[in-house]
Amino acid sequence: MSDQPTPPPKPILSPFQTASRLGVILVVIALLGGAFAYTGGWLDPQRLTPTRIVDSFEQASGRHPGFRRNHAKGVCVVGLFVSTGAAAKFSSAEVFAPGRRTPVVGRFAIPGGNPYAPDGGVPIRSLALRFNQLNGQQWRTGMNSMPVFPVATPQAFYEQLQASQPVAATGKPDPERMKAFFAAHPETAPFLQWVKSAKPSASFATEAYNGLNAFFLVNDAGQRQAVRWGLVPEETAQPGGQPLPADPDFLAQDLAQRLAHGPLRWHLTLILANPGDPTNDATKQWPAGRTVVDAGTLLLQSTEPQDSGPCRDINYDPLVLPTGILPSDDPLLAARSAVYATSYERRTSEEAGVSAAGHTAPPAAKDPRS
Amino acid sequence: MSTTPATNFSLPARVLHWTMAVLILAMLFIGVGMVASISERHEWLVQIHKPLGIALLVLVVLRLFIRLKRGAPPLPADLPGIQRRLAHLSHLALYLLMFLMPLIGWSMLSAGGYPVILYGPVLLPPIVPENPLLFAILRQAHTYLAFLLFLTILGHLGAALYHGLIRRDGVFSSMARGKP
């Protein structure tokens, strides 16, 4: 009936043989499943994962569905970058070609996970940019107004996040815990030195923004040059600072008022490392006297609220880079990229009403305006 | 010319099967590893994940073509009906997931507004419009379907070893080696 060839006679397995062969199969499956679970971090709760860092932000500031987990309060800006061409001999990126005009979608923000925080509460402002090159490649970067990052490694950053968790009694971080953290992390000294005298600015427009992490510029000949970039404003703040307006959202208002009178300008400066300058330590500024290249002018022309503006759906992942820029060995870069991806996954999932895999959400924080 | 159907998979089918088996397992481990890592590993795993995913998409197209053209050797006539149905169902699931996973990955990056970097300066075009809600759904689907694919592969491997070690009915060797 069947046109199957007759199988060759095979020895009958004893019950012991059958059981041991089944055992072998189960062991193979269990080993493969176990290796998968280990790789995914499920057997290793102590591993520092993007999930644990993003959870810490939520723990500190409450969960604000749809918002970024850090730098949650911000506004969108739109403009363009006009290249001088001075950086073209260091990097083959299209954005640096002489006279090239590259459209930019940016976002000003203040640090912290609370989208309703008062602007005067922190002395740091940030600016993230996405350059859309005509060739389809993009350059995304996030910059901050401080000159150095407090810590050099993701592990230290996580410890800082843990040390600064608000305590239930006061709603503020425990000063003793903070002190202990900073004592255990002497690399935070330059940041603490800066923050001692730093005052919250009354405007985004008068701030300089620093990339903090190092990268490599790569030119057409394949030569690599270590670099840190920053933005230097053309606007200047009133000497001695100015009293901060009472409105907690004064930064967005100031920005809109200034843009109503015309575009705001910054110079994109590339600080070129000397041989031996550290590229893996964002807590250390490079010594003075480094060559600084004025790569061009950033013109910001208009602003929109972040819940409807074009920056809303952008993940300013610092590792989205065009040809001609490469990441350095700074360990913060991969961590930022991984953590931003998790933040982006959560906030878009909240908007879509689907639950992000592996995320057991704490209850949403109360929106003070709803 | 014999009318007897082949008892083994053809050489191209076997080469593709084992190549893709290694690559898909590597891909699944890279995927869960990279999303659970904040070290430099994260970055280079992501850089492998994307071109490897596209390579697997190309390979599965080729594989489906060969499968449709050459067919597959019949299952043993004495195989119980439930096992027969499970075999067909799991093979269908494997083919579907092998197509879906890279396509969802590519669509997900397109919907998230990311440039889809294949390698260095080589970009792939977006295949769906930028849309954060679509991104969210595709991103979750990519995770859950990856788990489903891994579980299906474990079942497939368990069944193959069951055929090879216990039933010894020629099913395992039909993929493992050429004509006896």
Side-chain angles (χ1 to χ4, degrees):
Chain A
M1 181 63 210
S2 167
D3 48 9
Q4 283 262 87
T6 328
K10 51 196 174 193
I12 292 171
L13 296 178
S14 72
F16 175 76
Q17 280 176 313
T18 307
S20 53
R21 286 178 183 211
L22 266 177
V24 167
I25 296 174
L26 289 177
V27 166
V28 169
I29 302 290
L31 282 178
L32 195 56
F36 190 72
Y38 175 77
T39 310
W42 296 290
L43 303 180
D44 182 10
Q46 291 311 304
R47 189 190 307 173
L48 192 49
T49 60
T51 299
R52 284 179 69 202
I53 292 184
V54 176
D55 284 346
S56 297
F57 276 115
E58 290 184 359
Q59 204 188 327
S61 310
R63 195 172 61 95
H64 300 278
F67 288 94
R68 283 162 218 264
R69 293 314 190 244
N70 192 15
H71 293 247
K73 186 183 188 187
V75 289
C76 298
V77 280
V78 172
L80 77 159
F81 174 72
V82 184
S83 167
T84 57
K89 66 177 171 194
F90 300 105
S91 169
S92 59
E94 185 195 277
V95 66
F96 295 130
R100 176 75 67 178
R101 300 160 76 87
T102 305
V104 169
V105 175
R107 184 173 179 273
F108 284 111
I110 60 171
N114 177 4
Y116 309 105
D119 290 341
V122 279
I124 298 168
R125 280 80 179 89
S126 67
L127 175 56
L129 299 173
R130 185 191 69 185
F131 300 76
N132 266 31
Q133 293 188 165
L134 299 179
N135 65 5
Q137 297 179 10
Q138 298 182 359
W139 175 23
R140 302 185 187 188
T141 177
M143 289 173 271
N144 282 283
S145 59
M146 68 255 201
V148 287
F149 202 66
V151 291
T153 64
Q155 182 64 40
F157 181 73
Y158 180 70
E159 287 167 25
Q160 185 187 2
L161 263 178
Q162 290 305 103
S164 50
Q165 289 292 339
V167 270
T170 58
K172 287 191 161 66
D174 175 355
E176 288 306 311
R177 225 180 142 191
M178 292 294 284
K179 235 167 85 184
F181 169 80
F182 287 122
H185 288 273
E187 77 274 19
T188 55
F191 175 77
L192 292 177
Q193 185 64 34
W194 173 80
V195 91
K196 225 188 285 176
S197 59
K199 299 226 166 23
S201 72
S203 175
F204 283 128
T206 55
E207 293 283 276
Y209 298 92
N210 305 302
L212 305 181
N213 303 117
F215 290 82
F216 289 108
L217 301 177
V218 186
N219 64 13
D220 287 321
Q223 292 164 312
R224 287 152 71 114
Q225 165 68 52
V227 66
R228 279 174 174 162
W229 51 69
L231 290 166
V232 178
E234 285 196 356
E235 309 278 319
T236 48
Q238 283 177 22
Q242 65 187 84
L244 298 178
D247 186 305
D249 305 326
F250 59 83
L251 286 171
Q253 289 188 10
D254 168 84
L255 184 67
Q257 277 164 16
R258 287 176 190 255
L259 286 171
H261 295 106
L264 294 166
R265 288 180 174 79
W266 281 261
H267 290 269
L268 177 66
T269 54
L270 305 177
I271 303 164
L272 307 184
N274 278 5
D277 287 345
T279 52
N280 62 354
D281 189 346
T283 67
K284 289 192 178 75
Q285 273 186 293
W286 290 338
R290 298 292 172 264
T291 306
V292 177
V293 177
D294 183 351
T297 306
L298 173 74
L299 289 99
L300 295 182
Q301 295 156 312
S302 63
T303 176
E304 277 182 72
Q306 65 168 343
D307 57 1
S308 55
C311 71
R312 184 190 67 185
D313 303 327
I314 300 175
N315 165 11
Y316 287 99
D317 177 343
L319 290 183
V320 174
L321 297 167
T323 315
I325 306 179
L326 284 176
S328 70
D329 53 351
D330 185 334
L332 292 175
L333 282 172
R336 286 175 66 189
S337 182
V339 171
Y340 290 18
T342 299
S343 165
Y344 187 64
E345 181 182 341
R346 287 197 189 173
R347 66 190 180 91
T348 52
S349 294
E350 288 154 359
E351 281 183 72
V354 295
S355 128
H359 180 215
T360 44
K366 225 160 109 194
D367 177 350
R369 299 176 190 193
S370 64
Chain B
M1 290 295 278
S2 162
T3 53
T4 314
T7 55
N8 284 27
F9 283 94
S10 65
L11 182 67
R14 278 180 282 129
V15 168
L16 272 174
H17 170 272
W18 290 106
T19 308
M20 289 181 74
V22 171
L23 294 183
I24 289 172
L25 274 178
M27 195 63 174
L28 287 164
F29 276 82
I30 289 170
V32 288
M34 75 188 195
V35 297
S37 168
I38 54 164
S39 69
E40 286 90 337
R41 220 173 30 234
H42 171 85
E43 185 198 337
W44 60 259
L45 289 177
V46 172
Q47 282 173 5
I48 300 172
H49 196 78
K50 294 180 210 177
L52 191 50
I54 295 299
L56 281 166
L57 182 60
V58 173
L59 289 177
V60 75
V61 171
L62 195 62
R63 185 160 169 195
L64 182 69
F65 179 76
I66 290 174
R67 172 70 184 253
L68 293 177
K69 198 157 176 272
R70 299 273 189 95
L75 290 168
D78 63 341
L79 194 68
I82 175 81
Q83 289 185 31
R84 186 175 293 274
R85 274 194 298 277
L86 270 175
H88 288 144
L89 195 68
S90 63
H91 294 160
L92 183 67
L94 286 169
Y95 267 96
L96 270 177
L97 290 169
M98 286 190 292
F99 269 100
L100 278 177
M101 287 301 292
L103 284 174
I104 290 176
W106 185 356
S107 312
M108 170 187 117
L109 292 175
S110 310
Y114 295 97
V116 188
I117 297 169
L118 189 59
Y119 180 77
V122 184
L123 294 180
L124 293 176
I127 50 173
V128 298
E130 278 183 38
N131 181 318
L133 307 188
L134 187 58
F135 169 83
I137 292 162
L138 293 169
R139 178 67 191 78
Q140 298 317 316
H142 202 62
T143 300
Y144 288 115
L145 292 179
F147 293 153
L148 181 62
L149 177 55
F150 185 69
L151 289 177
T152 315
I153 288 172
L154 287 187
H156 180 74
L157 174 64
L161 291 175
Y162 174 72
H163 282 286
L165 291 177
I166 294 175
R167 276 186 59 92
R168 294 162 294 154
D169 54 6
V171 169
F172 185 82
S173 61
S174 73
M175 187 53 96
R177 54 171 181 257
K179 290 190 196 317

